[in-house]
Amino acid sequence: MSTQSGPKKRVSIHELRRMKDAGEKIAMVTAYDATAARLVAAAGVDVVLVGDSVGMVVQGHDSTLPVTLEQMIYHSAAVRRGLERDGARAHLVGDMPFGSYQASADDGVKAAMRFVAEGGVQAVKLEGGADFVEVIRRIVRAGVPVMGHIGLTPQSVHKMGGYVVQGKDSDKAQQILRDGRALEAAGCYAVVLECIPAELARIVTGQLRIPTIGIGAGPHVDGQVLVFHDLLALDPTFTPKFVKRFAELGAAVQGAVAAYVGEVKARTFPADEHSFHSSSVRLVPVPEDDDREEPQGGVMGAPV
Ligand code: KIV
């Protein structure tokens, strides 16, 4: 039974389209666990992405390529539980990892359906342009909304020759616009534009009816996405141009843990207020020659 204080209505693909039409910006951020999901949802994000960036910021790889479907489903389910715990409204998207949809449309449909059934996502995101319209059509036909992702597509890092800005000359920019149109025609409900010139992102955004979500694509898009760890500067050494550090949590975490280490060494933690007490504890000595033997009289008093 739903009550007035029950879960808020989740942001749907239609709501995101309405936001574009109304000129309301969409705020999207990544999360990979329940705690982060609760924090970002409480902060008011519209869309939570369980990104395959988990491979770099959580698993420690130097690319997103080793991330598996099982891992993505595991993280998505954790994020879903976090959102549900507070009845959050945020729209939840799962990132299709490398190898889960490129070989065949059948693979893609099966992976997308598992993402929804086991990971609890409302939609999936996949990287690639016009070459991927078949798998996108099939997934959408199976009932799963698809968010596209063009421009810099990290799963193609080797093809691109590194993490470099895309669409800087007219031919490549034209191809990105064609890709955006192809994704919209194939049924995508939104598209991520990653690391392309702001001028190109503005044109693509103006030509598409579906919302564009930018990362390193300038301000003239319908929404923005950042990686959780990047916007909080959890890794103080990672400083790409497109990231704004909204807090210095890496330094704050290091400082807090150093303070803890210092207090443990100095014996000032735990203090009395962090300790439990019982005045009724009575123990009998444990025989020294055989620790495994039950004490004859048993343990007296309250558990400590
Ligand atoms: O994996 C990810 O976090 C992403 C965003 C950067 C868009 O794809």
Side-chain angles (χ1 to χ4, degrees):
M1 197 179 80
S2 73
T3 64
Q4 278 198 319
S5 59
K8 299 181 194 75
K9 197 165 172 285
R10 282 187 205 162
V11 173
S12 66
I13 60 171
H14 308 291
E15 172 64 3
L16 296 172
R17 179 70 162 264
R18 186 203 65 72
M19 290 173 78
K20 171 168 179 137
D21 294 342
E24 289 171 32
K25 294 285 186 188
I26 297 165
M28 170 160 140
V29 71
T30 67
Y32 318 101
D33 61 59
T35 301
R38 295 181 67 200
L39 290 170
V40 302
V45 299
D46 304 299
V47 184
V48 175
L49 170 68
V50 184
D52 62 355
S53 48
V54 70
M56 299 174 84
V57 297
V58 174
Q59 298 175 348
H61 297 294
D62 63 2
S63 77
T64 59
L65 302 178
V67 178
T68 67
L69 179 61
E70 298 303 325
Q71 291 165 350
M72 291 304 299
I73 290 173
Y74 169 90
H75 287 287
S76 300
V79 169
R80 167 51 68 210
R81 286 190 290 272
L83 296 178
E84 257 163 25
R85 186 160 156 186
D86 299 331
R89 61 180 272 286
H91 178 79
L92 180 59
V93 184
D95 218 358
M96 300 271 277
F98 182 63
S100 66
Y101 63 94
Q102 289 91 342
S104 77
D106 281 354
D107 282 356
V109 173
K110 285 182 196 148
M113 293 174 89
R114 284 195 61 198
F115 243 125
V116 174
E118 300 170 43
V121 302
Q122 285 159 272
V124 296
K125 175 171 85 56
L126 61 82
E127 296 180 11
D131 292 343
F132 290 87
V133 296
E134 190 202 342
V135 63
I136 292 168
R137 279 209 182 93
R138 289 275 312 277
I139 295 172
V140 172
R141 214 181 301 146
V144 180
V146 177
M147 179 180 283
H149 182 158
I150 54 178
L152 193 166
T153 48
Q155 291 177 16
S156 307
V157 57
H158 298 310
K159 188 172 159 194
M160 294 181 303
Y163 298 104
V164 281
V165 176
Q166 302 291 302
K168 284 176 82 174
D169 66 52
S170 298
D171 284 352
K172 301 233 171 67
Q174 193 67 50
Q175 184 57 47
I176 288 173
L177 176 57
R178 266 198 296 273
D179 284 338
R181 297 294 286 264
L183 295 188
E184 178 170 281
C188 282
Y189 71 98
V191 61
V192 168
L193 305 178
E194 179 163 353
C195 289
I196 61 171
E199 298 75 15
L200 172 60
R202 172 182 230 153
I203 293 168
V204 174
T205 299
Q207 299 239 339
L208 297 185
R209 280 165 298 153
I210 58 174
T212 57
I213 317 273
I215 174 165
H220 312 297
V221 284
D222 299 309
Q224 298 289 334
V225 56
L226 279 179
V227 168
F228 180 82
H229 293 56
D230 296 350
L231 81 91
L232 299 174
L234 278 168
D235 175 0
T237 66
F238 186 63
T239 55
K241 181 177 169 70
F242 60 87
V243 170
K244 177 171 175 183
R245 299 152 74 119
F246 287 86
E248 291 295 334
L249 289 202
V253 168
Q254 200 175 320
V257 177
Y260 161 72
V261 171
E263 291 200 19
V264 169
K265 305 279 184 197
R267 299 175 164 79
T268 53
F269 175 83
D272 195 53
E273 71 261 34
H274 308 118
S275 305
F276 302 105
H277 299 284
S278 169
S279 54
S280 64
V281 174
R282 300 283 182 277
L283 300 177
V284 295
V286 178
E288 263 179 29
D289 52 348
D290 188 354
D291 285 354
R292 289 164 302 173
E293 213 173 81
E294 283 293 312
Q296 290 304 302
V299 177
M300 307 288 289
V304 214

